[in-house]
């Protein structure tokens, strides 16, 4: 149990739709990072939020966007869904701006048809 | 980009055997970490390494941060069935990047 919770656990969307995934960070953690994990691959860094500001971004297009709220929970939004967006989306929380040790949620599995 | 090359991709071993896996990169990292992921779960941190040359143990697991800061290895001694899973290395500078994983199967 990492104390990081994600919702929904599974969802199915069609191409062109939009999706919002949610994450509650572990108590005392002010940094949230989002990762995309395709089947059989390692997690790929999407972006990180520290104190409600984006604090680093991986190689993902602008249709991937996020938010962090004052209670440090976070959302990942993906617009104009493509088939290749099908993946497990992992949220991880940590203390401080330098991520150090990440504590992951169980992920949201997105299927795009 | 900061690519991490993890090997081997998969391992099939007998219970009781020792396991070794490693991770290399063309980039220098400030921190190396090792995670394990079980099916349907997120990765769980096993060991974190913060200094070049550092050797750290966590029970039957031992990991080292390479002197060049471009590599790390993880050893598991006397493997047991619950060691089955996917092991990921991760390197951190301003954000954390992951290798593609080593899938470990342990035969009783």
């Amino acid at each position: 149990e990492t104390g990081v919770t994600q919702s929904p656990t599974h969802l199915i969307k069609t191409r062109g739709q939009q999706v919002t995934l949610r994450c509650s960070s572990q108590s005392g953690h002010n940094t949230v990072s989002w990762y995309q994990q395709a089947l059989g691959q390692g997690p790929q860094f999407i972006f990180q939020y520290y104190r409600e500001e984006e604090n680093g971004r991986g190689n993902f297009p602008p249709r991937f966007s996020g938010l962090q709220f004052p209670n440090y929970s976070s959302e990942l939004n993906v617009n104009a869904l493509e088939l290749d967006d099908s993946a497990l989306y992992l949220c991880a929380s940590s203390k401080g701006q330098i991520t150090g040790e990440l504590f992951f949620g169980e992920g949201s599995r997105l299927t795009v048809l | 980009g900061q690519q991490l090359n993890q090997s081997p991709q998969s391992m099939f071993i007998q219970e009781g055997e020792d396991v070794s896996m490693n991770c290399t990169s063309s980039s220098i990292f400030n921190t190396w970490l090792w995670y394990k992921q079980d099916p349907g779960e997120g990765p769980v941190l096993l060991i974190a390494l913060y200094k070049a040359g550092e050797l750290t143990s966590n029970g039957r697991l031992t990991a080292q941060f390479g002197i060049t800061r471009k590599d790390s290895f993880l050893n598991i001694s006397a493997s047991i069935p619950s060691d089955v899973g996917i092991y990921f290395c991760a390197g951190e500078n301003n954000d954390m990047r992951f290798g593609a994983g080593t899938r470990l199967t342990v035969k009783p």
Side-chain angles (χ1 to χ4, degrees), chain A residues 35 37 42 99-102 104-105, chain B residues 35 37 42-43 50 88 92 96 99:
Chain A
Y35 287 82
Q37 187 176 24
T99 47
E101 301 167 14
L102 295 178
F104 283 88
Chain B
Y35 287 82
Q37 187 174 27
Y50 298 101
F88 291 101
E92 186 189 19
M96 198 170 297

Side-chain angles (χ1 to χ4, degrees), chain A residues 2 35 37 40-45 48 55 57-58 88 90 97-102 104-106, chain B residues 31 33 35 37 40-45 48 50 88 92-101 103:
Chain A
T2 62
Y35 287 82
Q37 187 176 24
Q41 303 290 320
Q44 299 292 312
F45 176 67
Q48 178 189 98
N55 183 45
R57 189 178 182 94
L88 181 68
L90 293 162
Q97 195 168 4
I98 304 298
T99 47
E101 301 167 14
L102 295 178
F104 283 88
E106 294 189 349
Chain B
T31 306
L33 306 97
Y35 287 82
Q37 187 174 27
E41 315 237 337
V44 173
L45 180 67
Y50 298 101
F88 291 101
E92 186 189 19
N93 289 323
N94 296 317
D95 55 64
M96 198 170 297
R97 307 292 170 129
F98 285 77
R103 183 179 294 273

Side-chain angles (χ1 to χ4, degrees), chain B residues 13-19 60 76-81 83 106-108:
Chain B
I13 62 167
Q14 207 71 37
E15 184 177 356
E17 288 183 357
D18 296 344
V19 171
R60 294 178 297 106
I76 305 173
S77 62
S79 58
I80 59 178
D83 290 335
V106 179
K107 292 182 271 191

